[in-house]
Amino acid sequence: IPIVRPAPQPAIPRPQFADHSPCKALPTTYTGTMRISVQRVNEASIAVLNDLGTLDPTFDVQQIGLGLLLTVEIEPDDDETTIDMMANRVLTLRCFDGPQGSLPQSVQEIRGEILSIPQPLTSLHSPATGRPQLVAEDTDDEHANLTWIRFNEALRSGNVPVYEGRYGARMRIGSIVDGPFQFTLISD
């Protein structure tokens, strides 16, 4: 009986920064500072919820079309240098389709949009008995919120529309992902 093997699949191009350097793979343990989860989306939206779990009337629902959905985690030692470096990485990341399946375009080049969501630092606490619990790690919420706001302003300086969630709020996030295409950028 002959063995039938599936046809080989074409290689998926790796995302690149504008200088054509490949994105680095994540280490097995995270020891960096700012961390950004990036999803390429056809559309995304965010709504802030109030204490009752219904839409907060003081927050307008934010929506984007083709672009990037970012989940941004700030650490206490993040500064202006980190903000500028990470904003540049996001703005110049070549992750949008071009001819023949290559990824030659950045969010700036396609005139896309960005939806930025703050992610407060949390860790999973696993007690000896009982269920694991998420525990907030942010010791300085004000620093994290201001750093996230400055990061969004740095993105806007690249002439890309940036829409935001609300720091520390419970949010409902919806997206239609163009992929699967999700990865994490970390500052070195």
Side-chain angles (χ1 to χ4, degrees):
I1 299 176
I3 299 174
V4 178
R5 296 180 196 229
Q9 297 293 320
I12 298 172
R14 289 183 51 109
Q16 297 179 344
F17 294 110
D19 65 359
H20 299 286
S21 62
C23 295
K24 295 179 183 178
L26 278 176
T28 54
T29 58
Y30 172 68
T31 58
T33 53
M34 186 183 286
R35 183 177 187 163
I36 303 171
S37 172
V38 179
Q39 282 188 315
R40 183 177 65 187
V41 297
N42 285 325
E43 60 185 65
S45 65
I46 188 164
V48 171
L49 304 177
N50 60 24
D51 293 337
L52 301 174
T54 59
L55 294 180
D56 184 339
T58 66
F59 185 87
D60 292 331
V61 173
Q62 303 291 299
Q63 296 179 316
I64 65 167
L66 183 63
L68 298 174
L69 173 61
L70 309 179
T71 305
V72 183
E73 187 175 287
I74 306 292
E75 295 225 4
D77 58 345
D78 290 335
D79 57 15
E80 293 297 324
T81 303
T82 305
I83 291 168
D84 292 341
M85 176 185 63
M86 294 301 283
N88 184 56
R89 284 185 180 178
V90 169
L91 291 170
T92 62
L93 180 65
R94 295 180 182 273
C95 59
F96 289 93
D97 295 329
Q100 295 140 4
S102 64
L103 299 172
Q105 297 180 309
S106 69
V107 70
Q108 286 178 311
E109 293 166 327
I110 66 157
R111 299 177 194 256
E113 301 172 298
I114 294 174
L115 180 57
S116 177
I117 301 165
Q119 172 64 51
L121 292 176
T122 55
S123 64
L124 188 62
H125 174 66
S126 297
T129 59
R131 295 181 148 186
Q133 299 174 351
L134 283 177
V135 178
E137 299 266 332
D138 275 339
T139 55
D140 188 358
D141 281 343
E142 184 175 345
H143 166 76
N145 186 26
L146 292 175
T147 302
W148 174 66
I149 290 169
R150 289 196 311 265
F151 171 73
N152 292 333
E153 290 301 320
L155 291 172
R156 284 186 186 98
S157 72
N159 294 319
V160 174
V162 178
Y163 300 88
E164 304 173 349
R166 181 183 290 162
Y167 189 87
R170 182 172 169 216
M171 295 172 270
R172 183 174 294 146
I173 303 160
S175 65
I176 297 178
V177 177
D178 182 14
F181 196 92
Q182 179 175 346
F183 53 95
T184 302
L185 299 175
I186 58 172
S187 60
D188 296 326

